[in-house]
Amino acid sequence: MSAHTTELVVFILLFLLVSGMGFVASRWRRPTDLASLNEWGLGGRSFGSWITWFLIGGDLYTAYTFVAVPALVFSSGALGFYALPYTVVVYPLVFLVLARMWSVSHVHGFVTPADFVRARFGSPTLALAIAITGLVATMPYIALQLVGIEAVLKAMGITGHLPIIIAFAILAAYTYQSGLRAPALIAFVKDALIYIVILAAIIYIPAKLGGWDSIFDAAKAKFDATPAPGDGMLLNANNQLQYVTLAFGSALALFLYPHSLTGVLASRSRGVIKRNMSALPAYSLVLGLIALLGFMAIAAGTKPVTTDGKADTNTIVPMLFDQMFPDWFTGVAYAAIGIGALVPAAIMSIAAANLFTRNIYREYINKNATDAQEAGVSKLVSLVVKVGAVLCILLLDPQFSIDLQLIGGVIILQTLPSVALGLYTRWFHKSGLIAGWAAGLAAGMWMLYLIPNPANGKQHFGGSAFALSNLGFDTKMTIYAGFLALAVNLVVAALATVIFRASKVADGADATARGDYFADEGDPQVKDRGLTASH
Amino acid sequence: MTTGEPGQPRTDRSPWNWLLVLPIVLPLLTFLFNSDEPRLLGFPLFYWLQIAFIIVGVTCTTIVYRMTK
């Protein structure tokens, strides 16, 4: 413990600083009244380009990403680098889609993707399916942020769960009080720290290891020496399709997550979103460089922390920092990861709480809920969600959360036809969408069940690389399971739509108009949500 | 394109949008650059080129935003 005193002191000081900011945030850009979801859950829907950039960046590039992506590069090589093309592809992909989502949401006061589906397809059942899918996909993601903090604590030699419980209790308290304003304000500190740490890491560490050439050569030597077919410093014939479909499938999924949309809907105008689509790739650069920390760890001969005989590769980056940096700077780096967990955890719990409030509480429990009641329910649920995440980590094997998050990516993709395609076309029948959603989920779960992980001896849910040989093809090629599941979803939704239309099954009514999808700030139908009631 | 003069229905259609296809497709054509050589500053082609695609993405989205504002 004593060897880590400096690191610990720096870590705790920075942690206390952002906790203070979290509480003060309730007075930042203060509205007359925080008691509505537009204020508590969406920060007044008034964030400009800068705040939105920090907020969405802080939200999408999570502590878990910073820990798990280099860990994957460390153990598999090139395949782990999928995170870079994934975050290059995503912004041009959603450039037009998110602008439409912003417009229609501001005209109608939508807070969640399920709100939109409810109005567009006139189906509470479909909206409920979308909401539950979002909740199930988000919950393990919150738990994983704890895994990120835990990796840092482990590297500092701290074991036991008390520090995590304290950290999450503080987080829960200021999220309860300040809502989305808390993570928006803390994101400034988080991102500043991350940029400083990464800049230092990519200059300082390669200099100590003899340059990038020798880092990549060391990695190549390691992968050439292992018998595993899936790893290597380059892709091979068998995992190239997996790399491409994983990058593309993850890009399709990213903005279907409720918490990503929370950041988008909190922005002030369409222009803010479009400008951010050009500016957010700055984080992709950071992520790409972070991924390469995995190779640096190979070249430096870093060993992950081992507990109970099992090596935890998630500790590889913290251990690399510990090995390379002076103590005080390692403390800063650890704080960057720790605080990096708080921002997304706060936004995710707010998004999950909003889903429950809008699409379950308001739909099924209290149809005439006032703004204040909605905000009250959301605040309480955000607490429940965080307690649930902590319990997940305390009571279950963390591996369970990692599996669930993997599944989460596959199942959130199944909301694409309703949420993303729904912004473009009303052609699908509401029941067709439900059928496609169910078929996609079933196919996705079946494929994930069939995927083993030889590295840790798991028989099922061992990854997302589905072997095409399972479908009778004579090949060793693998493909991202979510991608195939989405294809099943789309085919079933389209076929069912044709059948339901032909047999004249009643469809829901569309509450949106064409012009709603292009409305912008200042238009008469885009009300100032900060001043008026949402309904 | 989305400025919407009075009387004209707004739309987000524009030929400029096709420019968005480039940064979506390019990074996914891994067979073109799945190679070690040529290295740049010690980075194998596979790594430095994908990092360079970030610039392609930023350029394309910025142009589309400016031209359709």
Side-chain angles (χ1 to χ4, degrees):
Chain A
M1 180 94 184
S2 58
H4 298 287
T5 310
T6 318
E7 294 169 6
L8 200 58
V9 169
V10 174
F11 180 86
I12 291 175
L13 281 177
L14 285 169
F15 192 90
L16 289 178
L17 169 76
V18 297
S19 302
M21 287 176 71
F23 286 106
V24 172
S26 66
R27 268 179 258 158
W28 180 46
R29 303 164 68 96
R30 188 179 179 77
T32 42
D33 184 12
L34 253 177
S36 81
L37 279 193
N38 286 314
E39 288 300 338
W40 183 82
L42 290 176
R45 294 194 191 241
S46 62
F47 290 154
S49 296
W50 277 103
I51 303 174
T52 303
W53 186 74
F54 279 109
L55 183 67
I56 299 183
D59 182 19
L60 302 185
Y61 301 84
T62 70
Y64 179 68
T65 321
F66 290 154
V67 162
V69 168
L72 189 60
V73 169
F74 174 78
S75 52
S76 317
L79 191 60
F81 207 61
Y82 87 93
L84 185 82
Y86 153 32
T87 54
V88 171
V89 165
V90 67
Y91 301 111
L93 191 66
V94 299
F95 185 86
L96 297 167
V97 183
L98 289 181
R100 283 186 175 219
M101 183 54 106
W102 184 93
S103 293
V104 72
S105 298
H106 275 241
V107 172
H108 292 271
F110 301 146
V111 180
T112 70
D115 281 348
F116 163 69
V117 170
R118 168 84 167 82
R120 176 67 149 165
F121 295 97
S123 167
T125 315
L126 181 61
L128 181 68
I130 302 298
I132 290 177
T133 312
L135 280 170
V136 172
T138 308
M139 291 286 288
Y141 222 151
I142 302 172
L144 277 191
Q145 301 310 317
L146 288 160
V147 173
I149 301 184
E150 221 170 22
V152 167
L153 292 175
K154 263 190 196 173
M156 286 193 283
I158 298 171
T159 46
H161 291 300
L162 192 62
I164 287 212
I165 296 175
I166 296 172
F168 248 46
I170 297 173
L171 170 71
Y174 63 68
T175 311
Y176 182 90
Q177 189 191 320
S178 310
L180 195 65
R181 284 177 169 79
L185 196 56
I186 293 173
F188 286 94
V189 180
K190 178 215 151 183
D191 293 335
L193 286 178
I194 294 273
Y195 276 101
I196 292 169
V197 169
I198 292 311
L199 215 58
I202 60 159
I203 294 167
Y204 184 71
I205 300 180
K208 279 183 90 172
L209 293 174
W212 286 100
D213 257 313
S214 51
I215 290 172
F216 282 107
D217 288 340
K220 191 169 184 319
K222 178 202 160 181
F223 292 122
D224 286 350
T226 60
D231 67 11
M233 209 192 57
L234 296 172
L235 299 171
N236 57 50
N238 297 329
N239 64 14
Q240 214 166 123
L241 183 64
Q242 161 73 6
Y243 185 87
V244 171
T245 50
L246 183 59
F248 188 60
S250 305
L252 287 175
L254 186 61
F255 279 92
L256 294 170
Y257 276 104
H259 64 264
S260 321
L261 278 182
T262 301
V264 170
L265 297 186
S267 64
R268 195 179 55 213
S269 69
R270 286 168 70 97
V272 167
I273 294 168
K274 290 187 169 180
R275 273 195 294 277
N276 262 284
M277 293 301 114
S278 310
L280 280 166
Y283 288 95
S284 308
L285 179 63
V286 172
L287 182 60
L289 297 172
I290 287 175
L292 296 179
L293 291 174
F295 288 146
M296 293 185 204
I298 294 176
T302 309
K303 296 269 177 290
V305 177
T306 310
T307 34
D308 308 329
K310 275 200 293 187
D312 179 1
T313 52
N314 281 336
T315 57
I316 200 74
V317 165
M319 291 309 282
L320 176 72
F321 287 161
D322 189 38
Q323 189 181 337
M324 290 289 163
F325 287 140
D327 281 354
W328 69 270
F329 196 74
T330 307
V332 174
Y334 287 180
I337 298 177
I339 298 165
L342 301 178
V343 173
I347 303 173
M348 288 168 190
S349 63
I350 289 170
N354 289 348
L355 272 175
F356 176 83
T357 305
R358 296 281 297 194
N359 308 108
I360 296 174
Y361 170 76
R362 192 160 172 273
E363 186 75 55
Y364 295 99
I365 300 170
N366 180 2
K367 277 195 188 300
N368 302 314
T370 63
D371 282 353
Q373 278 174 325
E374 279 190 11
V377 171
S378 259
K379 288 169 85 168
L380 270 180
V381 174
S382 83
L383 291 182
V384 174
V385 165
K386 286 198 203 68
V387 172
V390 173
L391 287 179
C392 262
I393 293 297
L394 296 192
L395 303 179
L396 305 167
D397 185 347
Q399 185 60 40
F400 189 66
S401 297
I402 297 171
D403 292 354
L404 277 179
Q405 200 259 342
L406 180 79
I407 297 170
V410 173
I411 70 168
I412 200 70
L413 259 181
Q414 308 315 319
T415 65
L416 182 135
S418 311
V419 178
L421 297 187
L423 288 166
Y424 279 86
T425 172
R426 185 58 183 74
W427 178 77
F428 288 104
H429 191 283
K430 64 173 184 183
S431 306
L433 286 171
I434 295 173
W437 169 82
L441 282 185
M445 295 305 284
W446 173 74
M447 282 185 274
L448 289 172
Y449 181 78
L450 287 183
I451 299 171
N453 185 348
N456 57 16
K458 278 163 56 86
Q459 295 290 313
H460 306 292
F461 300 108
S464 63
F466 181 70
L468 287 175
S469 57
N470 283 314
L471 300 174
F473 294 102
D474 182 24
T475 171
K476 282 201 171 73
M477 284 220 286
T478 56
I479 189 168
Y480 176 47
F483 198 72
L484 268 189
L486 178 62
V488 170
N489 181 338
L490 286 169
V491 169
V492 171
L495 285 179
T497 294
V498 171
I499 294 170
F500 286 130
R501 291 248 191 282
S503 48
K504 304 222 181 320
V505 176
D507 199 356
D510 183 359
T512 67
R514 196 183 139 68
D516 299 350
Y517 293 87
F518 310 109
D520 205 352
E521 180 190 23
D523 288 1
Q525 75 262 47
V526 180
K527 298 164 200 111
D528 187 347
R529 300 265 158 211
L531 298 175
T532 56
S534 63
H535 283 274
Chain B
M1 290 290 161
T2 54
T3 42
E5 295 87 51
Q8 218 177 6
R10 278 194 210 178
T11 174
D12 55 6
R13 279 171 193 272
S14 159
W16 287 104
N17 292 344
W18 287 101
L19 207 52
L20 295 173
V21 175
L22 188 68
I24 296 175
V25 171
L26 209 52
L28 300 178
L29 304 176
T30 51
F31 59 89
L32 292 180
F33 50 82
N34 188 26
S35 137
D36 190 333
E37 303 289 336
R39 288 199 177 192
L40 181 72
L41 304 173
F43 284 63
L45 175 71
F46 181 76
Y47 295 91
W48 70 257
L49 193 64
Q50 294 196 73
I51 292 173
F53 287 152
I54 297 175
I55 301 165
V56 177
V58 171
T59 309
C60 291
T61 45
T62 306
I63 292 174
V64 174
Y65 170 63
R66 299 233 167 243
M67 299 314 288
T68 60
K69 198 153 60 164

